[in-house]
Amino acid sequence: MKRALDNIDRHLDDPLDLDTVSAVAAFSKFHFHRQFTATFGLSVHRYVQLGRMKRASFRLAYRHDHSVTRIAMDAGYDAPDAFARAFRQRFGQSPSSFRKAPDWEPWLAAFGPLTNARSKIMHQPFDASDVTIREADAVPVAIMEHRGPPNEIGATIRRFIAWRKANGLPPRRSRTFNIFHSDPGDTDPRDYRMDLCAATEQVFDADEHGLVAGIIPGGRCAVLRIVGHTDDLESAALYLYRDWLPQSGEEARDFPLYCERIAFFPDVPEPEAIADLFLPLR
């Protein structure tokens, strides 16, 4: 089943019929569909649809160089009109409206079944061998702060991407970091804070986007690499704080947990996304 999900997520552009997916899972196609639905609570067809629609919605929100027609075709629709109807039915917005001003609350609700299916089998266990201690270099960065409910961070990401494009700092030229000032589990959503950062030595004044220059300090860090679905790093952070740190004999330094986004969806398939999570140490 894990092979089946991984194969679907890596090959959303390919035909993904029951014969193909059941062969990857080494199941008889006569039993695979029932087994898949019983395990994940949704059919193979529904899982594929949600995976393609998630990628399409990310491209609409963050990849304005991709036309709606191209996105519709990549999502498996023969015509933009059919894609628009399906998109509106699922998210309550047309693709063009979502591109201009995404409403993330119904988006999160729509992908609940997809998230639940993956969480049942895609959990990535960690152990001490996954953690390395290294001397991290200091990195000068441009910082855009997100303050407010975590489910509204999509709007901040859009502003951040627009600023990077306008200032010639796309991810292929400028490393991408997130600094986690708050734990969403015990922070009032109104006070939740996370920084979006682009590595740059440029000197600039704060503009209408509210960006400021800052620095991620160098020093010893425990580093945990996460490969796969990196949109939720809570389990990795929990492992570092609850399991690894008490057993390591190390002490955390006075700087927040942060991560470097090395490869991220939708530029790569979700199973190929990579993030390094840094816990600063004394």
Side-chain angles (χ1 to χ4, degrees), residues 122-138:
M122 290 298 215
H123 174 68
Q124 182 174 354
F126 302 106
D127 59 45
S129 65
D130 297 316
V131 181
T132 59
I133 296 178
R134 73 169 83 148
E135 286 286 335
D137 295 331

Side-chain angles (χ1 to χ4, degrees), residues 134-231:
R134 73 169 83 148
E135 286 286 335
D137 295 331
V139 184
V141 291
I143 301 171
M144 178 180 286
E145 179 187 83
H146 171 81
R147 186 181 290 273
N151 62 9
E152 295 178 3
I153 197 169
T156 308
I157 292 172
R158 282 165 59 86
R159 294 199 307 273
F160 184 62
I161 290 173
W163 184 90
R164 293 184 78 162
K165 288 181 177 178
N167 287 271
L169 294 171
R172 67 180 180 275
R173 297 180 186 168
S174 168
R175 296 163 69 190
T176 302
F177 296 89
N178 301 147
I179 303 175
F180 304 104
H181 294 272
S182 308
D183 179 352
D186 61 8
T187 303
D188 186 312
R190 295 169 297 182
D191 298 327
Y192 178 76
R193 179 184 167 201
M194 186 180 85
D195 291 341
L196 309 178
C197 307
T200 178
E201 295 184 358
Q202 285 183 210
V203 177
F204 57 89
D205 296 322
D207 58 13
E208 69 274 13
H209 294 287
L211 272 98
V212 297
I215 191 163
I216 297 175
R220 295 178 70 247
C221 290
V223 184
L224 175 60
R225 171 156 290 191
I226 300 95
V227 179
H229 301 273
T230 59
D231 49 353

